[in-house]
Amino acid sequence: MTRICGPAEDFASSALLGFASLHRDIVRPVKGGVLRARPAREGKVSLVVGGGSGHFPAFNGFVGFGFADAAVAGDVFASPSTQAILRVAREAQLGGGVILGYGNYAGDVLNFSIAAERLRAEGIDTRLIATTDDVASAPRLEHYRRRGTAGDLPVFKIIGAAAEAGLALDAVETVGQRANARTRSFGVAFDGCTLPGEKEKLFHVPEGRLALGLGVHGEPGIDELDLMRPEELAAILCERLLDEAPSDAGSRITAVLNGLGSTKYEELFVLWEAIIPYLENAGYSIIAPLAGEYVTSLDMAGCSLTLTWLDEELEAFWCAPVTSAALRRERVTGQESIALPALIDVPKTVMRSQTDEGRRGGLCVARAMARLSAALAEAEPMLGKIDAHAGDGDHGQSMARGSDAAAKAARTAVGAGAGPSTVLMAAADAWADRAGGTSGALWGAGLFEFSTALDDRAMPEAQHLALGLRRARDKIAALGKAKPGDKTLIDALTPLVDHFEAGIEKGHTLSRAWCEAAKASTDAAEATKELLPRLGRARLHGERSLGQPDAGAVSMAFCARVIGELL
């Protein structure tokens, strides 16, 4: 829902004024829309775009050098009035004629068509270009019925560049119609959007599902599927569009991966990584692609993919320089999208143990890492839930990622015949590298310090483990500047060290000493629920953490129990 709103009926006009104030170097407000802050040269063809509000940066964000001369803004998801279109177009016209650009929706078609007739009657040569890129909204043989969605961006950008280059009205119109005819879009929604002032979404997509073929005015999709991996979603989007390739399509295209409001940039980047190989394997060169929010639908969760098949002229205009709130770039030259090669991790040289005992010891360490990885993957939701009470909820993910990488690195080291110290050292570095964050750094450093107590020529024995635990505890405490009572993993690690050493001194077997120490660690971790945090992010939300144990202490004790079971 829209949480910063004011009177719902003033939402669109208030947003327009706020936008114009922020971008006063590019636009200036007029009643019903915005104009370029610095008008283009006299005699130039003027491009006036528009439609309903709620799609930012469309359409106000399209105004600027190399793009539109003006934009007309209707109410949320509503066509601007004929009068508003007339006012803005009159202000924007420079003597070279006007092109009115809009999406193919009934209200927009009606109001822009009437405005065009009125402008022509006033002696202003006016042409109409309605975008029809959405392949889900009508069959191919009825393409003229299709609605305009994120294809607005490449079509209007190309038209704007053609006008900026000085082409006459007939030529600009021809370029625009050709760009529209060679542009296709298809989208998916993960949930609907909410109109300003309303509490309920216009439609809902069931949890764990996605809707195919959505519109940008809150229209629901044409079908539903289960959520899927990025590669599968990329295939659906690309297949729908490539099946609609123009008959005279070449091998050069541009692509716009568009977020609809609540699907954020990192998600789009992940999807784009899956889209690149699909398009390039289909034989296409991708010219100056874009991923971001360009034609949104308020707070709708979803995205769309737009492809424009370029010819030499369209490519030149697509790559021309532009300065607007939505898009700013210099002229693009020689930029084809090339799939990046897989990242190569330079392998570390692993020394082979000189003894059978050492190699057996390395295998024992690798088995421990594998058991930890499996257990932490299963415990990920539990640890994340605990962390969410006073942290950011990512501790479970961090532990699962780190241990998975450590297990793989340990397995690789064992394959090279490494002993226990070298195997654990490799696992420690991989854990820290993959887990990241504070816990990743501390676990990596602690395990690395632990590895220095092991002997690559021998099986790990009780004295090795006791020394390793103490070195790990001391290193983690020094790095994190934590002590018992601070509500950190040290609260669980300290009793593990102390009780294990005590058990070994009493003559207990290694497994008994470890399991008893793990129980003491578990009890200490549970007791952290009565503590207030003194370190880390949790200290900022101290009261909220009362009654909840520390996630780092819980995971430390959990790992101790897992190793105890293995022993």
Side-chain angles (χ1 to χ4, degrees):
M1 62 180 292
T2 306
R3 295 170 177 83
I4 303 176
C5 185
E9 62 272 16
D10 297 334
F11 180 82
S13 58
S14 179
L16 185 148
L17 290 174
F19 162 79
S21 176
L22 286 166
H23 296 282
R24 64 184 66 190
D25 59 321
I26 301 174
V27 302
R28 61 183 177 90
V30 293
K31 188 176 181 181
V34 293
L35 301 167
R36 286 197 200 183
R38 298 175 183 82
R41 57 175 175 75
E42 285 295 319
K44 172 187 168 297
V45 173
S46 297
L47 172 62
V48 178
V49 300
S53 297
H55 304 301
F56 188 80
F59 294 93
N60 298 326
F62 293 174
V63 175
F65 171 80
F67 216 155
D69 295 273
V72 196
D75 209 339
V76 174
F77 296 171
S79 168
S81 68
T82 299
Q83 289 69 32
I85 298 167
L86 285 169
R87 280 196 304 269
V88 174
R90 287 168 182 149
E91 289 274 353
Q93 70 91 18
L94 297 163
V98 172
I99 288 182
L100 299 179
Y102 53 92
N104 189 34
Y105 298 89
D108 292 305
V109 170
L110 184 63
N111 282 291
F112 278 92
S113 296
I114 295 173
E117 291 180 4
R118 295 273 297 273
L119 290 169
R120 291 174 191 136
E122 296 172 10
I124 301 172
D125 196 350
T126 304
R127 314 292 172 87
L128 297 167
I129 295 181
T131 54
T132 53
D133 55 293
D134 180 25
V135 301
S137 54
R140 182 186 299 202
L141 293 178
E142 300 178 26
H143 59 86
Y144 53 87
R145 291 181 44 233
R146 289 176 170 175
R147 59 199 174 197
T149 54
D152 288 353
L153 177 72
V155 173
F156 295 158
K157 164 65 177 71
I158 288 169
I159 295 172
E164 204 76 58
L167 272 64
L169 183 60
D170 286 343
V172 174
E173 181 186 20
T174 299
V175 165
Q177 297 291 8
R178 190 164 76 252
N180 182 53
R182 297 169 71 90
T183 298
R184 312 279 189 269
S185 297
F186 187 78
V188 298
F190 310 119
D191 205 359
C193 58
T194 314
L195 292 174
E198 300 294 329
K199 295 182 179 180
E200 294 297 322
K201 293 184 180 293
L202 291 176
F203 70 93
H204 282 281
V205 177
E207 189 73 23
R209 303 275 284 176
L210 61 82
L212 296 175
L214 70 147
V216 292
H217 291 98
E219 308 98 326
I222 57 176
D223 196 5
E224 281 186 8
L225 295 173
D226 290 335
L227 287 177
M228 58 192 69
R229 294 183 295 109
E231 296 79 9
E232 296 171 312
L233 180 54
I236 286 177
L237 294 173
C238 292
E239 285 171 6
R240 295 279 182 140
L241 300 180
L242 296 183
D243 285 347
E244 293 260 355
S247 58
D248 59 345
S251 63
R252 298 173 74 81
I253 59 174
T254 191
V256 178
L257 182 57
N258 177 61
L260 285 157
S262 292
T263 301
K264 305 317 296 179
Y265 281 74
E266 288 84 354
E267 295 176 87
L268 296 177
F269 298 156
V270 169
L271 180 55
W272 177 249
E273 186 189 25
I275 287 171
I276 292 174
Y278 197 99
L279 294 176
E280 294 191 336
N281 289 338
Y284 287 103
S285 297
I286 313 168
I287 312 302
L290 297 171
E293 294 181 336
Y294 296 104
V295 181
T296 60
S297 186
L298 292 172
D299 60 341
M300 184 184 289
C303 62
S304 64
L305 179 64
T306 298
L307 300 182
T308 298
W309 279 261
L310 301 170
D311 57 27
E312 185 176 353
E313 186 177 38
L314 296 182
E315 182 175 335
F317 292 140
W318 173 246
C319 294
V322 58
T323 302
S324 69
L327 185 61
R328 300 187 190 207
R329 66 186 184 197
E330 298 299 320
R331 182 178 301 279
V332 180
T333 56
Q335 292 291 320
E336 295 184 11
S337 170
I338 300 175
L340 294 175
L343 296 178
I344 299 174
D345 192 10
V346 179
K348 293 182 179 179
T349 301
V350 175
M351 297 297 294
R352 179 180 174 82
S353 174
Q354 299 303 305
T355 68
D356 290 340
E357 283 291 287
R359 291 190 288 275
R360 284 181 56 221
L363 182 59
C364 287
V365 173
R367 286 174 175 167
M369 289 295 108
R371 183 69 64 89
L372 279 179
S373 175
L376 285 167
E378 188 174 341
E380 178 183 330
M382 177 268 291
L383 294 175
K385 186 176 181 180
I386 294 173
D387 187 40
H389 284 284
D392 50 16
D394 69 342
H395 186 66
Q397 290 182 346
S398 177
M399 293 294 290
R401 288 196 301 260
S403 60
D404 176 65
K408 291 174 180 174
R411 187 166 62 244
T412 299
V414 164
S421 178
T422 298
V423 171
L424 187 55
M425 197 174 294
D429 284 345
W431 188 311
D433 186 41
R434 183 66 185 94
T438 303
S439 70
L442 294 178
W443 269 85
L447 290 173
F448 191 93
E449 203 67 22
F450 197 128
S451 74
T452 65
L454 305 182
D455 184 348
D456 268 341
R457 298 165 298 175
M459 285 282 290
E461 297 183 357
Q463 66 269 26
H464 297 129
L465 301 187
L467 179 59
L469 278 176
R470 179 162 291 279
R471 286 182 178 178
R473 192 274 309 274
D474 292 347
K475 185 66 172 180
I476 291 172
L479 288 172
K481 298 179 174 55
K483 59 185 182 299
D486 286 340
K487 198 166 187 174
T488 70
L489 65 84
I490 289 294
D491 289 299
L493 181 53
T494 295
L496 179 67
V497 174
D498 294 343
H499 281 74
F500 182 70
E501 289 180 340
I504 295 301
E505 289 176 3
K506 292 176 183 177
H508 294 163
T509 64
L510 186 154
S511 60
R512 178 183 173 185
W514 188 284
C515 289
E516 289 180 355
K519 183 181 184 305
S521 178
T522 300
D523 292 342
E526 180 67 14
T528 60
K529 65 172 57 175
E530 306 304 327
L531 299 176
L532 284 172
R534 298 173 185 165
L535 293 173
R537 187 177 301 168
R539 77 184 188 280
L540 303 175
H541 309 283
E543 295 296 331
R544 194 192 313 174
S545 77
L546 271 179
Q548 293 292 333
D550 177 67
V554 170
S555 64
M556 173 59 70
F558 177 83
C559 291
R561 294 197 304 274
V562 170
I563 297 300
E565 293 167 2
L566 180 63
L567 291 172

